[in-house]
Amino acid sequence: MKILLYIIGALALIIGILHLIAPKTYQVDRKIVVSKEVDTVFKSLCSLKEQQIWSPWAEKDPEMKITYNGTDGSIGSFTHWIGNEDVGEGEQEVTKIEPNSYIETELRFLKPWKSTSTGFFEIKPIAEGTEITWGFKGENTFPSTVMMVFMDLDKAIGPDFEKGLAKFKTYIEK
């Protein structure tokens, strides 16, 4: 019995130390330049329905069930999806719009595990067209802090952002 208590104590200590050293916040983002005017890009990115056209996750589950609520492209509009194990279930709600420069959404993941993140698009005009930064950020809470010690979120999600931005570029420049 004493050995079991030592093992449990050691495990609790290890988990506590991992929690203390783990990153408390995360951010993953990628950039691309498209040869379209900022207002055209901004209007397209505001639309949750248009996002589905080039979404890398839509490709992972073509049978995903999606519903839209509210006025698309405006604060308060949101989408709910239910998909396979690759995309899970969740919601995305537009929470902030700064015309022609910034869009923010709340991403509420419901399955396979619950979490909330902030999605964003930063848009700025440049000589070649429009630079887009697409990403998401949030805070790690226990027990996800412990998992983040062993997981590279940038490597896990970054390629999806790259693929989505490449698809967006093809879509918007046609």
Side-chain angles (χ1 to χ4, degrees):
M1 185 63 151
K2 216 178 204 185
I3 293 174
L4 182 60
L5 289 175
Y6 284 133
I7 292 171
I8 291 171
L11 286 174
L13 181 63
I14 290 169
I15 290 170
I17 290 170
L18 290 174
H19 173 70
L20 288 174
I21 66 169
K24 303 301 183 264
T25 61
Y26 58 88
Q27 180 167 326
V28 176
D29 59 59
R30 295 294 191 269
K31 293 182 185 206
I32 198 165
V33 173
V34 298
S35 61
K36 285 291 187 178
E37 295 294 318
V38 71
D39 56 332
T40 301
V41 171
F42 182 79
K43 185 177 179 184
S44 180
L45 291 175
C46 271
S47 170
L48 295 174
K49 289 180 181 177
E50 276 191 61
Q51 286 181 26
Q52 201 57 33
I53 295 168
W54 51 268
S55 166
W57 297 286
E59 198 173 281
K60 290 182 179 188
D61 184 5
E63 303 299 317
M64 181 172 28
K65 293 176 180 33
I66 304 167
T67 56
Y68 298 94
N69 295 284
T71 303
D72 192 33
S74 63
I75 292 175
S77 63
F78 73 95
T79 183
H80 176 261
W81 73 88
I82 299 174
N84 63 21
E85 62 185 30
D86 290 329
V87 297
E89 179 180 0
E91 297 174 334
Q92 180 180 17
E93 180 179 356
V94 177
T95 57
K96 183 177 185 179
I97 296 175
E98 295 175 6
N100 288 340
S101 64
Y102 188 76
I103 303 159
E104 192 171 273
T105 63
E106 182 175 272
L107 293 163
R108 298 180 290 264
F109 300 100
L110 306 172
K111 290 180 183 173
W113 60 84
K114 289 187 177 190
S115 71
T116 301
S117 297
T118 300
F120 64 90
F121 292 102
E122 293 174 351
I123 303 126
K124 67 179 180 182
I126 59 172
E128 301 83 15
T130 302
E131 181 184 82
I132 304 159
T133 302
W134 179 29
F136 84 128
K137 58 189 174 183
E139 294 183 11
N140 291 318
T141 57
F142 185 81
S144 66
T145 50
V146 176
M147 290 179 2
M148 289 301 129
V149 171
F150 304 103
M151 181 178 184
D152 186 341
L153 204 53
D154 193 75
K155 279 186 177 179
I157 305 295
D160 289 332
F161 283 103
E162 291 166 10
K163 186 174 189 174
L165 285 171
K167 287 179 73 174
F168 177 74
K169 182 177 177 70
T170 299
Y171 167 73
I172 200 75
E173 290 180 349
K174 65 179 174 176

